[in-house]
Amino acid sequence: MAVLRDAARELLAMHDVAPRVVRYVASMQKWLITQAIIALHFERKRDETRSPLTAGSLIEFFAPKLPFSKNTLTAHLAEMVAYGLLVPQESRDKRIRPLRLSAYGESMIGQWLASHLVALDRLDGGDRASRFEGDQRLLGRIHPLAVRSLVFDPGWAQPPASVDLFVRTETGSNILHELIGRVPSGLEVFDRPVCLGALAAGEVSNRHTLSRGHVLRVFARAKSDGLLVWSLPGNRGDLFVSETLLNDYVRWQAIKFAAISVAYQRAQEDLGCEQAHEPAVAEFSA
């Protein structure tokens, strides 16, 4: 839990620096669509024989199940273009409008992945983060592998009801991270509600540029389901979060970290195979 708590704080710190960017992964729907877009970008960047990033390729990405309407996917792309996160590219074929992720977008997703590798290293004493920092090729390889695994994994894409209550709402992931980031240190087993101290809706709404009413509605639903309890009437006093939400969150996050760990290992193996063949290719060419 200490690792997850610090990871949540890191994600919130990224929001504080770049709230417009982080809002594209701050709900489950936006997370899935945005990460798919980024995966398509990296796959095309690595292999130009693959289809460019377009509305059509995004729709095709989700084609096996298509959990979102075509209009939703197209509108999401257009919004990311409007905010400069996606950059139009020239094309000889006027029928398509290829896009690529901006350099700033690549930098932000690199920070996101690096924070997860640091967390994994804390769990098992690995050296993923340092290797990642030293090899720029890893970002474009790890990310698509992890995302393609997660987007179609119902364990991740369809969170437990307690988690879903938050992440299905606009910027709900940030509200959830606010709770997780306040879990006291030293707690690893959750068999009773945990006190997080005082937390007012206004504090959350101000940090995440949300209406106070929106935050209060999320709190009200969580309170109705027994996930959040305040020690005093009117959401005053200390806030307690239920063991159900904490345990569900841990199990849910474990799916994401496992996918990233597997993707990292596969990316390292792929690079190793490529490097092993390089001398032979050079010699043959000579």
Side-chain angles (χ1 to χ4, degrees):
M1 189 64 206
V3 171
L4 289 178
R5 183 187 67 242
D6 291 347
R9 291 175 176 175
E10 180 69 20
L11 293 174
L12 289 172
M14 290 180 65
H15 169 273
D16 292 341
V17 173
R20 278 191 172 183
V21 177
V22 174
R23 70 187 294 270
Y24 287 102
V25 290
S27 71
M28 198 67 242
Q29 174 174 302
K30 288 188 174 182
W31 192 98
L32 294 170
I33 298 175
T34 298
Q35 296 286 15
I37 289 170
I38 297 171
L40 288 170
H41 160 79
F42 281 128
E43 289 173 346
R44 168 69 174 184
K45 185 176 182 179
R46 180 186 168 194
D47 181 1
E48 292 190 355
T49 65
R50 302 191 70 137
S51 299
L53 171 58
T54 63
S57 64
L58 180 60
I59 292 169
E60 184 179 351
F61 181 99
F62 287 105
K65 296 184 178 179
L66 201 61
F68 312 111
S69 72
K70 294 180 180 180
N71 287 341
T72 296
L73 297 175
T74 302
H76 194 100
L77 274 175
E79 189 175 346
M80 290 182 70
V81 171
Y83 278 105
L85 291 173
L86 293 176
V87 181
Q89 291 188 290
E90 293 184 3
S91 173
R92 294 179 180 177
D93 188 345
K94 301 303 180 182
R95 295 171 299 176
I96 63 173
R97 302 176 63 184
L99 302 165
R100 64 172 175 81
L101 187 64
S102 69
Y104 180 62
E106 282 197 9
S107 173
M108 290 299 294
I109 202 64
Q111 290 182 42
W112 174 85
L113 184 54
S115 71
H116 286 75
L117 296 176
V118 167
L120 283 166
D121 289 345
R122 285 182 59 188
L123 288 173
D124 62 13
D127 61 351
R128 303 174 188 82
S130 61
R131 289 178 176 269
F132 177 75
E133 184 178 359
D135 192 338
Q136 296 181 351
R137 299 172 298 176
L138 285 172
L139 172 59
R141 293 169 181 266
I142 297 171
H143 182 274
L145 290 171
V147 166
R148 283 192 175 271
S149 171
L150 289 168
V151 165
F152 300 108
D153 183 345
W156 172 257
Q158 300 170 23
S162 64
V163 173
D164 185 63
L165 183 149
F166 292 91
V167 301
R168 71 168 177 256
T169 66
E170 182 70 20
T171 319
S173 294
N174 288 342
I175 299 175
L176 181 58
H177 291 145
E178 284 282 359
L179 302 176
I180 299 301
R182 295 168 184 266
V183 174
S185 60
L187 293 179
E188 296 298 334
V189 177
F190 305 108
D191 54 5
R192 65 190 67 183
V194 173
C195 180
L196 305 184
L199 178 62
E203 183 178 349
V204 177
S205 64
N206 289 338
R207 182 175 189 179
H208 300 289
T209 322
L210 297 168
S211 73
R212 186 170 179 273
H214 173 73
V215 178
L216 285 172
R217 285 191 292 274
V218 174
F219 280 176
R221 287 193 292 269
K223 188 175 180 179
S224 175
D225 287 358
L227 302 175
L228 299 179
V229 177
W230 277 263
S231 60
L232 296 175
N235 294 358
R236 294 180 297 110
D238 287 335
L239 168 61
F240 289 78
V241 61
S242 77
E243 64 273 29
T244 298
L245 176 57
L246 293 175
N247 286 314
D248 284 349
Y249 179 83
V250 170
R251 287 190 289 267
W252 180 61
Q253 285 289 309
I255 296 170
K256 178 181 62 174
F257 279 97
I260 292 174
S261 181
V262 170
Y264 171 87
Q265 186 61 39
R266 282 186 57 189
Q268 286 281 36
E269 292 170 355
D270 290 346
L271 285 174
C273 290
E274 290 178 10
Q275 291 170 355
H277 286 86
E278 283 177 1
V281 172
E283 183 178 347
F284 178 79
S285 300

